Amino acid sequence: MAIRSNTFATTGRSRKGEPWVWLTASGLSIGVVLTVALLLLIIFKGLSSFWPARIDVLEIKTGDSVEKVAGIITQARSRKDVDGSFHKEIQLFRGNRSLTPELFLFIDEAKISSTERPADMCLIEQLEGGKAIGRLRSFTESGNAPVDATSQEFQKVLKNALREGSRTRKQLRKIERDEIGEVNKGLEQLRILEKTQPGDSGTASRRADLEARYLTLAADARTLRERLSTRHLVVEAADGRTMEIATGNILHVFESNRAGFFSRLWETLHRIWNFLSDEPREANTEGGAFPAIFGTVTMTLVMCLFVTPFGVITAIYLREYAKQGFLVRAVRISVNNLAGVPSIVFGVFGLAFFVYFLGGEIDSLFFPDKGAATYKTGGMLWASLTLALMTVPVVIVATEEALAAVPRGVREAALACGASKWQVIQRVVLPASLPGILTGIILAMARGAGEVAPLMLVGVVKLAPELPIDGSFPFVHPERKFMHLGFHIYDLGFQSPDSEAAKPMVFATTLLLIVLVVAMNLTAIILRNRIRKRYAVSSF
């Protein structure tokens, strides 16, 4: 009996197609490896940005001069000179913006004569001015004798001063943002009232009351600011120069070289919490990302509120009611092509239609006397609608596939029991299709949460101190601009005045965006699986 060959006799190619199997498997493997490598890089860089590094003091010899520089080593690299020789150099973050404008410094390793890690070097995080690095020397307060850093009561005095500064900043924030904000809002309403009702006699007295209230609050704010600058911490840099830092401007003092593993772990958790809960500072290169987290989650949820009913209703009509023919095929082709349109095109459409046309009409109808644009400018509502328009093809296609996957026998059984077509759709088809519909919503959320280009035109900004939802009446403000994690990453990476200082924030924010998208998708996947078990009739 002749042995059957594994190749075609005419072409000599494999019958089982092994080369193509290996080719496709190789493509998949390369994609998986690249994806995993990128994720590992983001996770490592993102988490390491929170880990407190040691502070080194380097002695640099240049000719006959010797200089001492303290800082945190951020990277090491090789540099090629014009003569072809290679030099190893390190990058040092030295902070102390009040003493030197350059936060980062590249140092040739050949010029470093000695390196040490003194236990008394501290990292001081400031509200304004970035981080400072140096030794604590004394604590001064106007009217009292200075407290030396070597005395026993120094740490207690410093902690009390930092705690008092934190309380004072909260009071100042409440006055400047909340109370003065309410006064300004009342003055704006009076301005509109005086414009529409010029003869109203009560507006003058109300304006006088509000202006008096404003002067009182401004005086209180000025007093609190003066209180923040009455106490100072004297810090000595590695080169011997001293800095006087107001304790009201200090957020945190950490002795990095003296801390053990658990102290550094606690400091890491402290920094992660501050990153999640604080507002950005120093051109977004310091502080947290809470407004961006809030804006991203809110925009994604509002987008789902718009895209889900519109996409599902469209899919039901196309699959269940529309007469299949040329027109329906043309609509399906258009929907599929809509998914391939560049996102910036949706941004331009959203700017023209939602912001200028629809927003302009709303302003002319409901806010004709306000003067400034309310809805005729970018905001949360228009950004959510633009992204809903961009992601609706995903929901339509997924919903149509889910509806088609419902077994024909189930529909016929329901019709045989006397149910109408709408009752069959409502009670049988839609519940069985819910897992597939949720799959479309999950894909839409993943795409919408990571988009940046259209948002730059319809509402996202670099810094938005006021959130779209807060405690001010009417509590929900869809017209307000907002921050977004994707745009935050773009702004830090490409628009920051100090790109080196922004690198840790770029990786940390990227990691946060990935975690946020995965968390939202996992929530939807868990919900989908529960529904799938409940309506096991669906095969989608």
Side-chain angles (χ1 to χ4, degrees):
M1 184 177 177
I3 300 175
R4 189 178 178 182
S5 173
N6 286 330
T7 58
F8 289 106
T10 54
T11 61
R13 294 176 181 169
S14 170
R15 288 176 180 273
K16 296 180 180 178
E18 285 89 349
W20 300 110
V21 174
W22 280 105
L23 182 64
T24 52
S26 301
L28 175 64
S29 302
I30 292 171
V32 170
V33 169
L34 289 176
T35 305
V36 171
L38 179 62
L39 284 176
L40 289 178
L41 174 68
I42 293 172
I43 291 171
F44 174 74
K45 290 284 189 180
L47 290 179
S48 62
S49 64
F50 298 108
W51 184 255
R54 302 296 189 187
I55 300 173
D56 294 311
V57 177
L58 310 178
E59 197 172 77
I60 305 168
K61 192 173 182 181
T62 309
D64 296 333
S65 64
V66 177
E67 180 188 6
K68 276 192 174 183
V69 181
I72 298 169
I73 298 174
T74 54
Q75 63 169 305
R77 69 179 188 183
S78 293
R79 178 175 54 83
K80 186 178 181 182
D81 277 349
V82 290
D83 58 357
S85 60
F86 286 90
H87 294 271
K88 290 184 178 179
E89 62 182 13
I90 59 171
Q91 187 189 43
L92 192 76
F93 171 75
R94 59 180 179 179
N96 299 343
R97 189 177 294 165
S98 61
L99 298 179
T100 175
E102 295 177 351
L103 296 181
F104 289 86
L105 183 68
F106 279 101
I107 305 171
D108 194 333
E109 286 190 4
K111 296 181 179 178
I112 300 174
S113 57
S114 67
T115 304
E116 59 178 344
R117 285 181 177 172
D120 56 349
M121 294 299 290
C122 293
L123 182 69
I124 302 160
E125 189 177 1
Q126 303 178 84
L127 183 66
E128 297 175 357
K131 294 182 177 67
I133 294 175
R135 294 181 175 87
L136 306 185
R137 288 308 183 198
S138 62
F139 173 84
T140 61
E141 183 176 5
S142 56
N144 294 325
V147 180
D148 194 78
T150 56
S151 63
Q152 293 182 350
E153 67 268 21
F154 177 77
Q155 289 295 335
K156 182 180 178 182
V157 171
L158 179 60
K159 286 181 181 177
N160 288 336
L162 295 181
R163 202 174 294 122
E164 176 65 22
S166 175
R167 281 198 296 266
T168 306
R169 285 195 301 271
K170 287 180 181 176
Q171 294 174 2
L172 183 62
R173 174 190 170 91
K174 184 180 179 183
I175 289 176
E176 291 185 336
R177 181 167 293 185
D178 299 337
E179 297 183 17
I180 291 182
E182 287 297 321
V183 171
N184 288 333
K185 192 182 294 182
L187 288 171
E188 174 64 18
Q189 291 173 350
L190 275 181
R191 186 188 67 79
I192 297 173
L193 192 63
E194 288 170 350
K195 188 175 179 182
T196 54
Q197 302 175 13
D200 192 345
S201 58
T203 55
S205 61
R206 288 172 58 191
R207 174 175 288 279
D209 293 340
L210 287 173
E211 288 176 348
R213 173 70 175 159
Y214 175 82
L215 292 176
T216 304
L217 292 173
D220 293 343
R222 196 161 47 249
T223 304
L224 290 176
R225 284 194 177 280
E226 290 173 354
R227 190 189 302 171
L228 285 174
S229 58
T230 54
R231 300 168 177 172
H232 292 83
L233 185 65
V234 180
V235 180
E236 181 185 352
D239 57 3
R241 291 184 289 177
T242 58
M243 301 171 282
E244 283 197 2
I245 305 173
T247 55
N249 191 40
I250 296 176
L251 298 175
H252 187 53
V253 177
F254 183 66
E255 295 179 320
S256 180
N257 292 350
R258 194 169 281 163
F261 174 77
F262 290 103
S263 297
R264 297 171 78 188
L265 182 62
W266 179 254
E267 175 68 13
T268 301
L269 297 176
H270 172 76
R271 292 181 181 183
I272 291 175
W273 170 249
N274 287 341
F275 177 69
L276 296 177
S277 59
D278 279 356
E279 294 182 352
R281 309 187 308 272
E282 303 287 330
N284 292 350
T285 58
E286 300 280 347
F290 176 72
I293 299 171
F294 191 87
T296 305
V297 174
T298 307
M299 186 212 65
T300 306
L301 295 179
V302 175
M303 180 200 74
C304 289
L305 289 179
F306 286 120
V307 74
T308 303
F310 187 70
V312 172
I313 289 171
T314 306
I316 289 174
Y317 179 78
L318 287 175
R319 176 59 60 178
E320 303 292 338
Y321 289 104
K323 185 179 179 181
Q324 303 301 314
F326 172 78
L327 184 61
V328 172
R329 284 200 301 274
V331 170
R332 284 203 177 95
I333 292 171
S334 302
V335 169
N336 292 332
N337 287 334
L338 200 62
V341 175
S343 57
I344 190 66
V345 176
F346 286 97
V348 174
F349 175 81
L351 178 68
F353 180 74
F354 291 127
V355 177
Y356 289 154
F357 175 70
L358 207 54
E361 292 297 321
I362 292 174
D363 276 0
S364 61
L365 284 174
F366 298 102
F367 309 100
D369 303 315
K370 191 171 181 180
T374 303
Y375 282 90
K376 196 181 178 181
T377 182
M380 171 67 72
L381 178 63
W382 304 140
S384 302
L385 280 171
T386 303
L387 287 190
L389 187 66
M390 189 182 70
T391 55
V392 73
V394 179
V395 179
I396 292 175
V397 172
T399 305
E400 269 207 274
E401 294 297 327
L403 294 174
V406 177
R408 184 182 179 86
V410 177
R411 298 168 183 264
E412 292 176 347
L415 291 171
C417 289
S420 65
K421 186 168 184 177
W422 170 243
Q423 286 174 324
V424 173
I425 294 172
Q426 185 186 8
R427 306 286 177 83
V428 178
V429 176
L430 270 181
S433 307
L434 273 180
I437 296 172
L438 280 174
T439 300
I441 296 173
I442 291 168
L443 294 173
M445 287 171 60
R447 186 179 179 191
E451 278 294 341
V452 175
L455 300 179
M456 295 166 67
L457 301 176
V458 291
V460 75
V461 289
K462 178 186 177 75
L463 184 62
E466 294 182 324
L467 299 176
I469 301 174
D470 60 14
S472 302
F473 185 81
F475 310 119
V476 178
H477 310 277
E479 79 283 3
R480 282 184 183 173
K481 298 184 187 304
F482 65 102
M483 293 182 69
H484 185 270
L485 283 173
F487 183 78
H488 196 56
I489 295 168
Y490 164 77
D491 179 64
L492 287 169
F494 299 99
Q495 303 293 318
S496 174
D498 193 341
S499 58
E500 290 294 335
K503 270 185 183 177
M505 285 290 285
V506 170
F507 283 107
T509 310
T510 305
L511 178 61
L512 176 61
L513 179 59
I514 292 174
V515 170
L516 202 64
V517 172
V518 170
M520 286 192 292
N521 285 349
L522 275 180
T523 305
I525 288 170
I526 292 171
L527 183 62
R528 182 188 64 183
N529 291 340
R530 289 187 177 181
I531 293 173
R532 181 177 289 169
K533 287 180 182 176
R534 184 176 178 182
Y535 302 101
V537 65
S538 173
S539 59
F540 187 76

